[in-house]
PDB file of all heavy atoms in Angstrom:
ATOM      1  N   GLY A   1      -2.918 -18.215  -8.429  1.00  0.00           N
ATOM      2  CA  GLY A   1      -2.065 -19.227  -7.821  1.00  0.00           C
ATOM      3  C   GLY A   1      -1.003 -18.646  -6.912  1.00  0.00           C
ATOM      4  O   GLY A   1      -0.015 -19.315  -6.591  1.00  0.00           O
ATOM      5  N   VAL A   2      -1.188 -17.378  -6.472  1.00  0.00           N
ATOM      6  CA  VAL A   2      -0.215 -16.722  -5.608  1.00  0.00           C
ATOM      7  C   VAL A   2      -0.441 -17.153  -4.160  1.00  0.00           C
ATOM      8  O   VAL A   2      -1.554 -17.041  -3.633  1.00  0.00           O
ATOM      9  CB  VAL A   2      -0.314 -15.187  -5.736  1.00  0.00           C
ATOM     10  CG1 VAL A   2       0.621 -14.508  -4.743  1.00  0.00           C
ATOM     11  CG2 VAL A   2       0.021 -14.748  -7.148  1.00  0.00           C
ATOM     12  N   ASP A   3       0.617 -17.619  -3.520  1.00  0.00           N
ATOM     13  CA  ASP A   3       0.505 -18.084  -2.139  1.00  0.00           C
ATOM     14  C   ASP A   3       0.344 -16.913  -1.182  1.00  0.00           C
ATOM     15  O   ASP A   3       0.850 -15.810  -1.425  1.00  0.00           O
ATOM     16  CB  ASP A   3       1.755 -18.872  -1.758  1.00  0.00           C
ATOM     17  CG  ASP A   3       1.610 -19.539  -0.399  1.00  0.00           C
ATOM     18  OD1 ASP A   3       0.872 -20.540  -0.296  1.00  0.00           O
ATOM     19  OD2 ASP A   3       2.234 -19.034   0.572  1.00  0.00           O
ATOM     20  N   LYS A   4      -0.335 -17.175  -0.068  1.00  0.00           N
ATOM     21  CA  LYS A   4      -0.616 -16.105   0.892  1.00  0.00           C
ATOM     22  C   LYS A   4       0.648 -15.512   1.499  1.00  0.00           C
ATOM     23  O   LYS A   4       0.630 -14.384   2.007  1.00  0.00           O
ATOM     24  CB  LYS A   4      -1.554 -16.595   1.988  1.00  0.00           C
ATOM     25  CG  LYS A   4      -0.968 -17.673   2.897  1.00  0.00           C
ATOM     26  CD  LYS A   4      -1.998 -18.080   3.946  1.00  0.00           C
ATOM     27  CE  LYS A   4      -1.442 -19.122   4.892  1.00  0.00           C
ATOM     28  NZ  LYS A   4      -2.446 -19.517   5.917  1.00  0.00           N
ATOM     29  N   SER A   5       1.759 -16.233   1.454  1.00  0.00           N
ATOM     30  CA  SER A   5       3.012 -15.702   1.992  1.00  0.00           C
ATOM     31  C   SER A   5       3.526 -14.512   1.185  1.00  0.00           C
ATOM     32  O   SER A   5       4.368 -13.747   1.659  1.00  0.00           O
ATOM     33  CB  SER A   5       4.078 -16.799   2.020  1.00  0.00           C
ATOM     34  OG  SER A   5       4.376 -17.244   0.694  1.00  0.00           O
ATOM     35  N   LYS A   6       3.029 -14.355  -0.022  1.00  0.00           N
ATOM     36  CA  LYS A   6       3.444 -13.240  -0.885  1.00  0.00           C
ATOM     37  C   LYS A   6       2.465 -12.068  -0.849  1.00  0.00           C
ATOM     38  O   LYS A   6       2.620 -11.110  -1.596  1.00  0.00           O
ATOM     39  CB  LYS A   6       3.571 -13.721  -2.331  1.00  0.00           C
ATOM     40  CG  LYS A   6       4.707 -14.699  -2.572  1.00  0.00           C
ATOM     41  CD  LYS A   6       4.810 -15.034  -4.056  1.00  0.00           C
ATOM     42  CE  LYS A   6       6.001 -15.928  -4.346  1.00  0.00           C
ATOM     43  NZ  LYS A   6       6.127 -16.212  -5.785  1.00  0.00           N
ATOM     44  N   VAL A   7       1.454 -12.156   0.009  1.00  0.00           N
ATOM     45  CA  VAL A   7       0.401 -11.143   0.028  1.00  0.00           C
ATOM     46  C   VAL A   7       0.478 -10.329   1.316  1.00  0.00           C
ATOM     47  O   VAL A   7       0.639 -10.880   2.405  1.00  0.00           O
ATOM     48  CB  VAL A   7      -0.999 -11.791  -0.089  1.00  0.00           C
ATOM     49  CG1 VAL A   7      -2.087 -10.713  -0.144  1.00  0.00           C
ATOM     50  CG2 VAL A   7      -1.069 -12.685  -1.323  1.00  0.00           C
ATOM     51  N   LYS A   8       0.366  -9.010   1.183  1.00  0.00           N
ATOM     52  CA  LYS A   8       0.362  -8.150   2.365  1.00  0.00           C
ATOM     53  C   LYS A   8      -0.729  -7.099   2.223  1.00  0.00           C
ATOM     54  O   LYS A   8      -1.074  -6.684   1.106  1.00  0.00           O
ATOM     55  CB  LYS A   8       1.727  -7.480   2.551  1.00  0.00           C
ATOM     56  CG  LYS A   8       1.878  -6.814   3.910  1.00  0.00           C
ATOM     57  CD  LYS A   8       3.325  -6.587   4.272  1.00  0.00           C
ATOM     58  CE  LYS A   8       3.427  -6.007   5.682  1.00  0.00           C
ATOM     59  NZ  LYS A   8       4.818  -5.790   6.105  1.00  0.00           N
ATOM     60  N   PHE A   9      -1.233  -6.635   3.368  1.00  0.00           N
ATOM     61  CA  PHE A   9      -2.324  -5.665   3.394  1.00  0.00           C
ATOM     62  C   PHE A   9      -1.841  -4.379   4.057  1.00  0.00           C
ATOM     63  O   PHE A   9      -1.190  -4.420   5.092  1.00  0.00           O
ATOM     64  CB  PHE A   9      -3.521  -6.236   4.157  1.00  0.00           C
ATOM     65  CG  PHE A   9      -3.965  -7.575   3.640  1.00  0.00           C
ATOM     66  CD1 PHE A   9      -3.491  -8.751   4.202  1.00  0.00           C
ATOM     67  CD2 PHE A   9      -4.841  -7.654   2.570  1.00  0.00           C
ATOM     68  CE1 PHE A   9      -3.878  -9.986   3.716  1.00  0.00           C
ATOM     69  CE2 PHE A   9      -5.240  -8.886   2.076  1.00  0.00           C
ATOM     70  CZ  PHE A   9      -4.758 -10.055   2.642  1.00  0.00           C
ATOM     71  N   TYR A  10      -2.187  -3.251   3.451  1.00  0.00           N
ATOM     72  CA  TYR A  10      -1.725  -1.954   3.946  1.00  0.00           C
ATOM     73  C   TYR A  10      -2.917  -1.059   4.304  1.00  0.00           C
ATOM     74  O   TYR A  10      -3.944  -1.083   3.624  1.00  0.00           O
ATOM     75  CB  TYR A  10      -0.855  -1.263   2.889  1.00  0.00           C
ATOM     76  CG  TYR A  10       0.444  -1.986   2.662  1.00  0.00           C
ATOM     77  CD1 TYR A  10       0.545  -2.979   1.692  1.00  0.00           C
ATOM     78  CD2 TYR A  10       1.559  -1.713   3.448  1.00  0.00           C
ATOM     79  CE1 TYR A  10       1.730  -3.666   1.495  1.00  0.00           C
ATOM     80  CE2 TYR A  10       2.759  -2.400   3.257  1.00  0.00           C
ATOM     81  CZ  TYR A  10       2.827  -3.372   2.281  1.00  0.00           C
ATOM     82  OH  TYR A  10       4.006  -4.061   2.098  1.00  0.00           O
ATOM     83  N   ARG A  11      -2.732  -0.307   5.373  1.00  0.00           N
ATOM     84  CA  ARG A  11      -3.775   0.592   5.856  1.00  0.00           C
ATOM     85  C   ARG A  11      -4.211   1.561   4.754  1.00  0.00           C
ATOM     86  O   ARG A  11      -3.393   2.145   4.051  1.00  0.00           O
ATOM     87  CB  ARG A  11      -3.254   1.356   7.072  1.00  0.00           C
ATOM     88  CG  ARG A  11      -4.224   2.340   7.690  1.00  0.00           C
ATOM     89  CD  ARG A  11      -3.594   2.965   8.927  1.00  0.00           C
ATOM     90  NE  ARG A  11      -4.388   4.040   9.506  1.00  0.00           N
ATOM     91  CZ  ARG A  11      -3.944   5.268   9.702  1.00  0.00           C
ATOM     92  NH1 ARG A  11      -2.695   5.597   9.345  1.00  0.00           N
ATOM     93  NH2 ARG A  11      -4.703   6.195  10.260  1.00  0.00           N
ATOM     94  N   HIS A  12      -5.512   1.735   4.630  1.00  0.00           N
ATOM     95  CA  HIS A  12      -6.121   2.587   3.615  1.00  0.00           C
ATOM     96  C   HIS A  12      -5.488   3.980   3.582  1.00  0.00           C
ATOM     97  O   HIS A  12      -5.043   4.465   2.534  1.00  0.00           O
ATOM     98  CB  HIS A  12      -7.625   2.678   3.918  1.00  0.00           C
ATOM     99  CG  HIS A  12      -8.433   3.489   2.976  1.00  0.00           C
ATOM    100  ND1 HIS A  12      -9.365   2.944   2.118  1.00  0.00           N
ATOM    101  CD2 HIS A  12      -8.490   4.835   2.762  1.00  0.00           C
ATOM    102  CE1 HIS A  12      -9.948   3.901   1.428  1.00  0.00           C
ATOM    103  NE2 HIS A  12      -9.439   5.061   1.799  1.00  0.00           N
ATOM    104  N   GLU A  13      -5.424   4.612   4.750  1.00  0.00           N
ATOM    105  CA  GLU A  13      -4.899   5.974   4.826  1.00  0.00           C
ATOM    106  C   GLU A  13      -3.424   6.045   4.437  1.00  0.00           C
ATOM    107  O   GLU A  13      -2.976   7.019   3.809  1.00  0.00           O
ATOM    108  CB  GLU A  13      -5.085   6.538   6.240  1.00  0.00           C
ATOM    109  CG  GLU A  13      -6.529   6.741   6.654  1.00  0.00           C
ATOM    110  CD  GLU A  13      -7.194   5.499   7.227  1.00  0.00           C
ATOM    111  OE1 GLU A  13      -6.702   4.374   7.004  1.00  0.00           O
ATOM    112  OE2 GLU A  13      -8.220   5.640   7.913  1.00  0.00           O
ATOM    113  N   ASP A  14      -2.660   5.022   4.805  1.00  0.00           N
ATOM    114  CA  ASP A  14      -1.239   4.999   4.469  1.00  0.00           C
ATOM    115  C   ASP A  14      -1.033   4.864   2.961  1.00  0.00           C
ATOM    116  O   ASP A  14      -0.053   5.387   2.414  1.00  0.00           O
ATOM    117  CB  ASP A  14      -0.534   3.870   5.215  1.00  0.00           C
ATOM    118  CG  ASP A  14      -0.506   4.094   6.719  1.00  0.00           C
ATOM    119  OD1 ASP A  14      -0.674   5.261   7.150  1.00  0.00           O
ATOM    120  OD2 ASP A  14      -0.331   3.115   7.467  1.00  0.00           O
ATOM    121  N   CYS A  15      -1.942   4.154   2.307  1.00  0.00           N
ATOM    122  CA  CYS A  15      -1.875   4.042   0.843  1.00  0.00           C
ATOM    123  C   CYS A  15      -2.100   5.411   0.197  1.00  0.00           C
ATOM    124  O   CYS A  15      -1.422   5.765  -0.781  1.00  0.00           O
ATOM    125  CB  CYS A  15      -2.910   3.048   0.341  1.00  0.00           C
ATOM    126  SG  CYS A  15      -2.614   1.347   0.878  1.00  0.00           S
ATOM    127  N   HIS A  16      -3.037   6.180   0.734  1.00  0.00           N
ATOM    128  CA  HIS A  16      -3.256   7.543   0.231  1.00  0.00           C
ATOM    129  C   HIS A  16      -1.991   8.390   0.396  1.00  0.00           C
ATOM    130  O   HIS A  16      -1.595   9.128  -0.513  1.00  0.00           O
ATOM    131  CB  HIS A  16      -4.400   8.214   0.997  1.00  0.00           C
ATOM    132  CG  HIS A  16      -5.764   7.899   0.475  1.00  0.00           C
ATOM    133  ND1 HIS A  16      -6.075   7.885  -0.864  1.00  0.00           N
ATOM    134  CD2 HIS A  16      -6.934   7.619   1.131  1.00  0.00           C
ATOM    135  CE1 HIS A  16      -7.364   7.588  -1.022  1.00  0.00           C
ATOM    136  NE2 HIS A  16      -7.897   7.423   0.174  1.00  0.00           N
ATOM    137  N   LYS A  17      -1.364   8.275   1.567  1.00  0.00           N
ATOM    138  CA  LYS A  17      -0.165   9.089   1.827  1.00  0.00           C
ATOM    139  C   LYS A  17       0.963   8.731   0.870  1.00  0.00           C
ATOM    140  O   LYS A  17       1.621   9.615   0.304  1.00  0.00           O
ATOM    141  CB  LYS A  17       0.303   8.882   3.270  1.00  0.00           C
ATOM    142  CG  LYS A  17      -0.672   9.352   4.332  1.00  0.00           C
ATOM    143  CD  LYS A  17      -0.125   8.970   5.702  1.00  0.00           C
ATOM    144  CE  LYS A  17      -1.211   8.981   6.751  1.00  0.00           C
ATOM    145  NZ  LYS A  17      -0.707   8.510   8.060  1.00  0.00           N
ATOM    146  N   ALA A  18       1.207   7.435   0.712  1.00  0.00           N
ATOM    147  CA  ALA A  18       2.293   6.992  -0.164  1.00  0.00           C
ATOM    148  C   ALA A  18       2.039   7.416  -1.593  1.00  0.00           C
ATOM    149  O   ALA A  18       2.959   7.877  -2.293  1.00  0.00           O
ATOM    150  CB  ALA A  18       2.444   5.476  -0.070  1.00  0.00           C
ATOM    151  N   TYR A  19       0.789   7.274  -2.034  1.00  0.00           N
ATOM    152  CA  TYR A  19       0.473   7.694  -3.397  1.00  0.00           C
ATOM    153  C   TYR A  19       0.722   9.193  -3.558  1.00  0.00           C
ATOM    154  O   TYR A  19       1.295   9.635  -4.557  1.00  0.00           O
ATOM    155  CB  TYR A  19      -0.980   7.367  -3.738  1.00  0.00           C
ATOM    156  CG  TYR A  19      -1.355   7.850  -5.125  1.00  0.00           C
ATOM    157  CD1 TYR A  19      -0.937   7.152  -6.256  1.00  0.00           C
ATOM    158  CD2 TYR A  19      -2.105   9.007  -5.309  1.00  0.00           C
ATOM    159  CE1 TYR A  19      -1.252   7.600  -7.524  1.00  0.00           C
ATOM    160  CE2 TYR A  19      -2.415   9.461  -6.573  1.00  0.00           C
ATOM    161  CZ  TYR A  19      -1.989   8.749  -7.681  1.00  0.00           C
ATOM    162  OH  TYR A  19      -2.298   9.212  -8.939  1.00  0.00           O
ATOM    163  N   GLY A  20       0.286   9.974  -2.575  1.00  0.00           N
ATOM    164  CA  GLY A  20       0.464  11.419  -2.668  1.00  0.00           C
ATOM    165  C   GLY A  20       1.918  11.819  -2.756  1.00  0.00           C
ATOM    166  O   GLY A  20       2.310  12.638  -3.606  1.00  0.00           O
ATOM    167  N   ILE A  21       2.770  11.244  -1.907  1.00  0.00           N
ATOM    168  CA  ILE A  21       4.190  11.604  -1.876  1.00  0.00           C
ATOM    169  C   ILE A  21       4.914  11.134  -3.133  1.00  0.00           C
ATOM    170  O   ILE A  21       5.618  11.900  -3.809  1.00  0.00           O
ATOM    171  CB  ILE A  21       4.870  11.011  -0.622  1.00  0.00           C
ATOM    172  CG1 ILE A  21       4.446  11.786   0.632  1.00  0.00           C
ATOM    173  CG2 ILE A  21       6.399  11.013  -0.771  1.00  0.00           C
ATOM    174  CD1 ILE A  21       4.980  13.209   0.713  1.00  0.00           C
ATOM    175  N   PHE A  22       4.757   9.864  -3.478  1.00  0.00           N
ATOM    176  CA  PHE A  22       5.581   9.282  -4.543  1.00  0.00           C
ATOM    177  C   PHE A  22       5.067   9.591  -5.949  1.00  0.00           C
ATOM    178  O   PHE A  22       5.799   9.398  -6.922  1.00  0.00           O
ATOM    179  CB  PHE A  22       5.722   7.771  -4.338  1.00  0.00           C
ATOM    180  CG  PHE A  22       6.405   7.405  -3.057  1.00  0.00           C
ATOM    181  CD1 PHE A  22       5.857   6.468  -2.186  1.00  0.00           C
ATOM    182  CD2 PHE A  22       7.603   8.008  -2.697  1.00  0.00           C
ATOM    183  CE1 PHE A  22       6.492   6.133  -1.004  1.00  0.00           C
ATOM    184  CE2 PHE A  22       8.250   7.682  -1.505  1.00  0.00           C
ATOM    185  CZ  PHE A  22       7.691   6.745  -0.654  1.00  0.00           C
ATOM    186  N   SER A  23       3.827  10.073  -6.048  1.00  0.00           N
ATOM    187  CA  SER A  23       3.321  10.452  -7.380  1.00  0.00           C
ATOM    188  C   SER A  23       3.750  11.859  -7.766  1.00  0.00           C
ATOM    189  O   SER A  23       3.591  12.264  -8.920  1.00  0.00           O
ATOM    190  CB  SER A  23       1.784  10.353  -7.416  1.00  0.00           C
ATOM    191  OG  SER A  23       1.196  11.322  -6.550  1.00  0.00           O
ATOM    192  N   SER A  24       4.303  12.616  -6.823  1.00  0.00           N
ATOM    193  CA  SER A  24       4.684  14.001  -7.095  1.00  0.00           C
ATOM    194  C   SER A  24       5.793  14.071  -8.145  1.00  0.00           C
ATOM    195  O   SER A  24       6.802  13.365  -8.032  1.00  0.00           O
ATOM    196  CB  SER A  24       5.166  14.676  -5.807  1.00  0.00           C
ATOM    197  OG  SER A  24       5.763  15.932  -6.100  1.00  0.00           O
ATOM    198  N   PRO A  25       5.626  14.917  -9.145  1.00  0.00           N
ATOM    199  CA  PRO A  25       6.693  15.084 -10.143  1.00  0.00           C
ATOM    200  C   PRO A  25       7.943  15.731  -9.550  1.00  0.00           C
ATOM    201  O   PRO A  25       9.039  15.552 -10.063  1.00  0.00           O
ATOM    202  CB  PRO A  25       6.049  15.979 -11.204  1.00  0.00           C
ATOM    203  CG  PRO A  25       4.938  16.675 -10.505  1.00  0.00           C
ATOM    204  CD  PRO A  25       4.440  15.728  -9.459  1.00  0.00           C
TER     205      PRO A  25
END
C-alpha cells in the first residue's frame, strides 16, 4: 500500500559504491 511518491530508483553501480563505502568497518 506504499504510494509511488515514496518510491525512488537508484543506479545499479551507485548502489554498489554506496554499499562498499558505508559497509566498511
Side-chain angles (χ1 to χ4, degrees):
V2 175
D3 188 74
K4 66 180 182 180
S5 63
K6 292 184 176 182
V7 183
K8 192 160 184 179
F9 306 94
Y10 293 91
R11 180 177 173 237
H12 181 111
E13 294 85 341
D14 293 340
C15 295
H16 276 316
K17 296 175 199 176
Y19 177 77
I21 286 291
F22 298 130
S23 66
S24 169

